[in-house]
Structure formats: structure tokens, C-alpha cells
Amino acid sequence: MDMKDKEREYIINTYGRDPVSTPLITAGEGVYVWDDAGRGYLDFLSGLAVNSLGHCHPEVVDAIQTQAAKLMHTSNLYYTEPQIRLAEQLVTHSAMDEVFFGNSGAEANEAAIKLARKYGKAHRGPDAYEIITAEQSFHGRTLAAVSATGQPKYHQGFEPRVGGFRYGIFNQLDSFAELVNEATCAIMVEPIQGEGGVYPASREFLTGLRRLCDENDLLLILDEVQCGMGRTGALFAYEHYGVVPDVLTLAKAVGGGLPLGVMGARGEATEVLTPGTHASTFGGNPVTCAAGEAVMKVLLTPGFLEHVQQVGQYFTERLSTLAQRWGKEVRGLGLMVALEIEGDGDAVARYCLENGLLLNCIGGNILRFLPPLIIGEEHVDAAMNIVSSALSAESSG
Ligand SMILES: *Cc1c(COP(=O)(O)O)cnc(C)c1O
């Protein structure tokens, strides 16, 4: 049996991969991946914002290999060095005071949800457990994280949802303010909605949420699973807004390609989870944390984030030119950008794939780009040529 037939035979079909058009990727280096037929692809999706330093970044590979040969796992019954060092780096370079390690974005958000409920009970009373999240948000697929996610299509068939989530309208402060009552314990949003279509929060909205939380003793949880770790040209997206969260969740790029999730907490929020209240067997594993240390080191190299800002700006300008001709709108920040088009986005994405460019389409007409942060203008030009021909091809039917 061929590999793709075996996939169909042995793997539960949650991803809907298509045996004809979906490539089987066998290798990656820098901004490129290759499939089993030896075809190369310019990767403007980075494994969904995970491979932010490009594929197989030598410093990440070296950190993983060295640590794997030394100690792979001991459980959290014991201290391990990479975990403590990565925590120190994350705390030093963020507004967070302490962190908890898990293995994914959903788990980081689960930890944040548990923390918020416990905080609410202690600070606002036994019935303060509601968390206000945004419509069109995405917080992950575990039952609580998917309940926090304000998109009915992700709930369908899994009801009843975990209780205690209410949904406000993103970028409409009033709609959040109206939902605050004595049952509320926290507000959780993505500074830039990713899965929902790449919608940046407005400054007014995020600063307003911060004020709302301060006035009502609520925790402000920012989900930076997708937009954090340098993606927007700042180490963390909240830096663009002058807003500091009480709880910050990270995953995707933080482990350099290995599964790692982080929930950071600040101030009183660090005191909420106590021994025995939360745990993860793998969380903060030595190998994933060693990879995370290497990622932090590269992101903090002088000039790295400036590069993300510059190439992000160039990319946005190139996309805006395309948008004048084909599109409705260009949105985003740094290297988390989208082009919303009038035509069939899925057809455009398919054309790009066939012509050696990976990107994805959300909601039928939003082309989402999450390229490695190490791309240069020449890669943007190459990608734009393909997208441009794809748009021409699509419009001529
Ligand atoms: C991807 C994503 C998640 C879920 O992360 P997983 O690692 O898939 O569990 C949560 N929040 C945001 C904003 C995301 O983009």
C-alpha cells in the first residue's frame, strides 16, 4: 500500500487530507519544504506559525540533539535545567512573573481557564467563574478550550459545551462591558485573531478591556499562541498596544517545532495555582525546553525583530498592491497577514500549492500568510508572483 492509502486506512480522518492534491512532506530546510517526489515548496505557512525560524534551524537542531543525548524526560517530580532556564528567559523578556509549561496551545489555555476560575472564586466569590471571550475567536480543541472558542462550527456535535463562557463581539468594547457581572472572573482574547481571519484588535479595544478588568478585579488573559514569539515584529503582540495581560498563553512557535505550551502569569495571578492543583506529565520536558531556549536566543539576537518588522512592512505593501487589483483588504501585523479577496480563496490556495507555495485559506476567501520570520524580500517577491498568477487564473475562471 502506498503511504497515502495507509493514512486513509490507519488514521482517523480529522484532517481531510486529499490523496491527490495534499503533498507528503519529507524534508524541510529554511523557508522550503520538499515532498516525496522531490518537489520543493516555499513555505508561507510555517507549519501553522510553528516553524518561525524556518525548518531545521541549525541552533534548534543542535539544542535538541544535544539535550536528547543527555536527558529526555524525568517528569515534573524533579527539577530539570532546560525548563528552569527557559522559564527565566520568558519571564525576563515578558511582563510575566512566572510560567507553567504544557504541551500545546489548548493546554496553555486550559491552564489559564482553570487559573481564572480559581482566581474568581478567591477574589469575587464562589459563583464567579464566567470568562468572556470573543466571537470568531479560536482557543483550541479540548472541551474547555473549544467552549471558549466563539465559533459555533467548532462546537457542533460536542454539546453540551463546558459552561461559563460568554461571547462578546471582537473590537466592540461595549459588547464586552455589557457581559460583565458578578459571575465574571476573566476576559480572554487573542490580540490578533488568527484562525478567525487575521483581525488585529484595535488599541482602543485592548486598552478598554484592560481598564474593564482593572475596575472589576477580573483577569485579562491574552492568547498569543499564534501571534506571540516574534510573529508580529515584537516578541509579544501585547507590546504593540501598551497593554499588559495578567495571564499570557503561548505555544506554536515557542518550541521551535516541538510541542510546547506556556501559560505565563503576573502579579497575584502567580499565586493561584498551588501544589496539586494543576500538572502535566510532559510539560516542560527537557528536550522541548532546550529547543525553546534556542528559539528565544535567536529571537533576541539584535536586529532580528527589526527584520521581522521591515520584511513584514514590505510584504504588506506588496499585498496592498495586489489588493488594489484583486482584493478587498489586507490585514495583520508583522508577518501575520491576510489578504481577503473577492473570489474563491480555496481555488487560489490550491493553485499556489500546485505552483510551489504553501499558504492557507480561511473562510473561503481569506488568504492567510504566516511565513518563517527569516524570509527576505526575495522570498516575498517569489511568493507574490505565484499569488498574483493564482489570482489571475482564478478570475479568468
Ligand atoms: C492554534 C491556536 C490554539 C490551539 O493550539 P494547539 O496547539 O493546536 O492546541 C489556541 N489559540 C490560538 C490563538 C491558536 O492560534
Side-chain angles (χ1 to χ4, degrees):
M1 245 196 291
D2 133 295
M3 273 295 170
K4 290 179 179 176
D5 292 332
K6 285 193 187 182
E7 190 262 10
R8 188 161 276 191
E9 180 85 7
Y10 298 123
I11 297 181
I12 292 175
N13 188 20
T14 61
Y15 299 107
R17 291 182 282 233
D18 173 50
V20 178
S21 60
T22 309
L24 191 161
I25 308 284
T26 53
E29 188 185 329
V31 300
Y32 298 98
V33 293
W34 287 270
D35 69 15
D36 58 339
R39 279 176 46 102
Y41 301 83
L42 179 56
D43 185 0
F44 266 45
L45 199 54
S46 307
L48 287 167
V50 170
N51 305 107
S52 275
L53 304 183
H55 293 272
C56 301
H57 189 284
E59 292 191 45
V60 177
V61 171
D62 182 55
I64 292 169
Q65 286 178 337
T66 305
Q67 185 59 45
K70 197 173 171 191
L71 179 72
M72 276 195 230
H73 180 81
T74 61
S75 89
N76 282 306
L77 297 173
Y78 311 105
Y79 297 110
T80 50
E81 288 172 336
Q83 185 184 104
I84 298 168
R85 285 197 302 254
L86 178 59
E88 181 182 19
Q89 280 186 321
L90 289 167
V91 165
T92 304
H93 297 284
S94 74
M96 298 299 103
D97 294 324
E98 293 182 14
V99 297
F100 172 85
F101 289 111
N103 309 287
S104 66
E107 280 176 79
N109 287 331
E110 289 278 336
I113 292 162
K114 286 179 72 177
L115 188 158
R117 285 187 170 196
K118 207 155 175 283
Y119 179 93
K121 289 182 205 310
H123 284 248
R124 308 193 78 229
D127 297 321
Y129 60 84
E130 281 185 2
I131 301 175
I132 307 170
T133 67
E135 290 181 3
Q136 295 304 117
S137 60
F138 185 81
H139 298 294
R141 302 291 202 135
T142 57
L143 203 50
V146 87
S147 301
T149 294
Q151 299 193 58
K153 69 174 182 195
Y154 291 119
H155 304 149
Q156 226 189 345
F158 301 114
E159 298 88 353
R161 276 176 283 150
V162 171
F165 293 99
R166 308 189 75 190
Y167 314 101
I169 301 170
F170 192 68
N171 272 340
Q172 291 190 20
L173 185 59
D174 286 351
S175 100
F176 275 68
E178 279 163 19
L179 294 175
V180 173
N181 59 36
E182 55 293 339
T184 315
C185 66
I187 292 175
M188 171 156 91
V189 296
E190 300 152 83
I192 302 169
Q193 289 192 330
E195 232 56 43
V198 188
Y199 291 95
S202 69
R203 197 180 177 87
E204 185 193 14
F205 178 62
L206 267 202
T207 52
L209 290 184
R210 179 67 273 177
R211 203 175 334 109
L212 202 54
C213 287
D214 289 339
E215 286 166 3
N216 295 282
D217 194 7
L218 311 175
L219 293 178
L220 179 62
I221 305 168
L222 292 184
D223 177 347
E224 294 214 18
V225 167
Q226 188 165 148
C227 63
M229 301 308 290
R231 171 70 38 203
T232 63
L235 197 51
F236 304 106
Y238 67 75
E239 296 171 29
H240 295 284
Y241 294 90
V243 166
V244 170
D246 303 297
V247 174
L248 175 71
T249 58
L250 304 168
K252 295 206 161 95
V254 74
L258 295 189
L260 178 61
V262 180
M263 179 198 62
R266 185 174 65 88
E268 280 186 83
T270 62
E271 310 293 327
V272 178
L273 296 177
T274 50
T277 57
H278 198 52
S280 168
T281 300
F282 285 117
N285 168 286
V287 180
T288 59
C289 286
E293 284 183 75
V295 170
M296 281 297 281
K297 188 166 161 243
V298 176
L299 294 180
L300 293 169
T301 308
F304 189 92
L305 294 172
E306 288 75 9
H307 168 79
V308 177
Q309 292 160 21
Q310 280 156 16
V311 76
Q313 170 127 29
Y314 179 75
F315 189 20
T316 305
E317 281 162 15
R318 291 293 316 262
L319 277 176
S320 302
T321 313
L322 279 185
Q324 277 163 20
R325 175 124 188 248
W326 306 107
K328 291 203 277 204
E329 193 176 40
V330 177
R331 295 188 294 268
L333 211 53
L335 285 173
M336 179 171 179
V337 283
L339 172 64
E340 184 166 336
I341 62 168
E342 300 280 358
D344 179 353
D346 291 306
V348 171
R350 236 176 357 257
Y351 179 103
C352 290
L353 175 71
E354 283 162 12
N355 288 276
L357 174 68
L358 304 184
L359 53 83
N360 92 326
C361 173
I362 332 176
N365 68 334
I366 300 169
L367 303 174
R368 177 170 56 162
F369 303 90
L370 298 161
L373 308 181
I374 58 167
I375 56 165
E377 292 185 359
E378 68 278 19
H379 302 117
V380 172
D381 292 343
M384 288 304 92
N385 286 342
I386 298 171
V387 172
S388 173
S389 341
L391 290 167
S392 310
E394 202 280 318
S395 76
S396 60

